Amino acid sequence: MKYTTNKAFGKPFLYKGLNIYPVKMKDTDEFYDAVQCLLLPKNDFQQPEIIRMSYLLFLLTVSQSNDEHRVLEKLLALYRLVFKTEDIQISINEKGMAFVIVNGITLHERDFDTIKTIISEQNLIDLDDEFIDPDTKKAIQEARAFMAKRKTKQADLEQQIIAYHCKSGLPYHEIEQLTLYQFHKGLLRMDYMVSSNAILHARYSGMIEFKNDQDLPHWLGHIEEPKKNEDVIITKSAFDQQMKKLGLEPSSNKK
C-alpha cells in the first residue's frame, strides 16, 4: 500500500503535467456553487443516448439544450479554481468528442472522469454513483431523509468554522488558508479526541467498564473511513450476523 501525505499537507496532485490544487476554505462558497456541475445525475435521464455519453459530453449537451443550471459557467469556474488558471477552453470536435484544453494541454473525456475523481477525493465531495439503480437511489434518499429526522441537527459550515476556531485556537485568517480536506479531517479528529477523552474519564472514574482495556479509545486512534451509503444500507452478511445475535435463523439457511 502506498502512503502519501499530499492531502494532509494540502499539496496539489500532478496529472498529465497539470497541477490540480485542493480548494481552500476561503474559496468554499465559490467551490460549492461550481462543483454542482459534477453532481448532476446523468442516469436519471431516460434517454439511452444520454446514458451512453461520457460525463463531460453529457454536461456540454445539457448546457446546449437547457442551461438553467448554468452548467458550462460552473464547470469553467470549477476548473479555474482547481487549476489556478484562466486559460481554459471546452468544446466538441467534428467527431462529436468532447475535450478540455488547460494551459495548452488537451484533456479528453476519460481524463475528465479521472479529474472528477481527484477533485472528489481532494475536497471530500461525495459524487453521485452513475451506475446505481434509480429505484435503489430513491430508496437510499428516503432512508437518509428518515435517518435525518432521528438525528440531532449538525452544525452548518459557518458554525463548524466557529467551532474549529474556538477549539483549536487557530485565527480565522489562518482557517481561511486550510484546504477543505484539512479543515474537515481536522474537525473530525477534534471530535474524536473530545469523545475519547470523555470515555477515558468515565472509565477511570468507574462510571463505565471495558472487558478489555485494549478497546479503550486513544486520541491518536485510527478513524475508519465510512463506506458510501453504509449508514443506510446493510449487507446480507451483516444482516445474517444480526439475525443470529437475535437467535433467528437467516431465511437462506432454512430448509
Side-chain angles (χ1 to χ4, degrees):
M1 178 179 178
K2 182 180 179 181
Y3 289 92
T4 175
T5 57
N6 283 358
K7 286 184 287 188
F9 286 118
K11 294 180 180 179
F13 186 97
L14 185 63
Y15 181 77
K16 289 201 167 182
L18 293 167
N19 277 323
I20 304 174
Y21 293 88
V23 176
K24 292 187 176 182
M25 289 297 293
K26 66 183 180 67
D27 298 316
T28 298
D29 292 343
E30 183 181 354
F31 172 71
Y32 282 141
D33 178 62
V35 81
Q36 296 302 314
C37 68
L38 300 186
L39 303 176
L40 295 178
K42 179 168 73 75
N43 283 359
D44 279 5
F45 290 79
Q46 300 300 314
Q47 299 93 318
E49 62 274 13
I50 290 182
I51 294 176
R52 288 193 295 266
M53 287 180 182
S54 69
Y55 200 84
L56 175 57
L57 186 56
F58 160 69
L59 293 183
L60 295 183
T61 302
V62 170
S63 69
Q64 291 172 355
S65 60
N66 181 6
D67 205 11
E68 61 176 304
H69 301 293
R70 300 185 294 119
V71 174
L72 197 54
E73 180 184 333
K74 290 179 186 290
L75 181 55
L76 287 168
L78 176 65
Y79 268 38
R80 283 194 292 265
L81 267 179
V82 301
F83 287 110
K84 294 186 182 296
T85 181
E86 296 290 327
D87 186 7
I88 300 170
Q89 303 170 47
I90 305 175
S91 62
I92 302 175
N93 63 21
E94 63 279 0
K95 295 181 180 180
M97 304 295 291
F99 60 94
V100 183
I101 301 176
V102 179
N103 288 342
I105 297 176
T106 301
L107 302 170
H108 300 284
E109 294 174 6
R110 287 188 179 180
D111 297 319
F112 183 87
D113 292 339
T114 300
I115 293 169
K116 181 181 173 186
T117 300
I118 292 170
I119 292 173
S120 167
E121 294 176 350
Q122 278 185 322
N123 304 290
L124 300 175
I125 298 297
D126 186 15
L127 297 179
D128 186 68
D129 187 347
E130 293 184 34
F131 304 104
I132 196 167
D133 176 77
D135 291 335
T136 302
K137 182 186 292 185
K138 181 180 178 181
I140 290 172
Q141 291 170 343
E142 291 174 349
R144 287 198 184 285
F146 174 75
M147 295 290 286
K149 292 179 181 178
R150 301 180 61 186
K151 292 182 178 179
T152 303
K153 187 176 180 180
Q154 189 179 24
D156 60 23
L157 183 59
E158 187 174 77
Q159 292 173 345
Q160 289 176 30
I161 292 170
I162 294 170
Y164 197 106
H165 163 73
C166 293
K167 184 62 182 174
S168 69
L170 201 66
Y172 286 115
H173 69 272
E174 291 188 22
I175 292 177
E176 280 189 319
Q177 297 306 314
L178 295 175
T179 66
L180 270 67
Y181 185 93
Q182 291 170 329
F183 175 81
H184 288 294
K185 288 294 185 179
L187 204 60
L188 183 64
R189 177 57 64 176
M190 286 182 205
D191 180 65
Y192 186 86
M193 291 166 70
V194 170
S195 300
S196 299
N197 192 46
I199 292 172
L200 288 174
H201 275 299
R203 161 69 174 82
Y204 293 124
S205 66
M207 294 176 62
I208 60 174
E209 292 185 5
F210 281 83
K211 293 182 180 179
N212 188 346
D213 280 349
Q214 290 183 346
D215 294 333
L216 285 170
H218 187 273
W219 69 275
L220 203 54
H222 178 69
I223 300 177
E224 291 289 343
E225 293 288 341
K227 295 179 180 178
K228 189 170 183 178
N229 298 320
E230 73 172 356
D231 55 333
V232 292
I233 293 180
I234 184 170
T235 63
K236 183 182 185 302
S237 59
F239 175 77
D240 289 348
Q241 288 177 6
Q242 290 192 13
M243 292 287 281
K244 288 179 180 178
K245 285 181 181 179
L246 294 172
L248 300 173
E249 187 178 7
S251 59
S252 60
N253 295 334
K254 288 183 179 182
K255 296 181 180 179

